[in-house]
Each structure stands twice: as structure tokens, then as C-alpha cells.
Amino acid sequence: MKTTDKYDPIIQCIGKHPFPTFTVADSTINKKRDHSFQIYKCPHCAFFHIGHSTTNYKNLKRSGK
């Protein structure tokens, strides 16, 4: 069963790489040269994770791309 709760640990934490600091996560994003990612501090494990920006995703959905 797929969860739709955006605060569910399955969506926020499980299977994502844990970065010890914001700076380390940010340098990883800069290497990818992709600005559709966001960094967030996980409330479940207290590490930083990289996820897709929900704002960019919503904008893409609205534009029909």
C-alpha cells in the first residue's frame, strides 16, 4: 500500500542517503547541477536528506509537462 502522508517516514527517510550536515547535502546537489531538489532535516533520523522540490513538481504538473 502506497502512503500519501508527506510526513510518513517511508516518504521522508527510508531509502534516502543520510547527510550529516546541510553543507554536505548542498555540495551534492551542486554537483548534480539540478535545481529541482531541496534539502530538509529529517524529523525521524535527524540527518539531512535530499528530496524533490514539491513546488517545482507542482508547477510542472500545472504546466502540463
Side-chain angles (χ1 to χ4, degrees):
M1 173 190 281
K2 189 170 184 172
T3 182
T4 57
D5 179 10
K6 67 180 182 178
Y7 300 108
D8 189 315
I10 292 172
I11 292 174
Q12 286 191 329
C13 185
I14 297 174
K16 294 188 178 179
H17 182 79
F19 294 95
T21 65
F22 180 91
T23 305
V24 174
D26 190 45
S27 69
T28 301
I29 289 177
N30 290 335
K31 289 177 187 174
K32 293 182 182 204
R33 298 180 188 179
D34 187 344
H35 300 287
S36 65
F37 292 105
Q38 66 181 12
I39 301 166
Y40 61 93
K41 186 158 187 165
C42 181
H44 307 288
C45 69
F47 283 100
F48 291 88
H49 295 302
I50 298 173
H52 286 86
S53 173
T54 55
T55 304
N56 289 343
Y57 177 71
K58 287 177 185 174
N59 289 339
L60 284 174
K61 283 180 71 174
R62 285 188 197 132
S63 69
K65 293 184 179 180

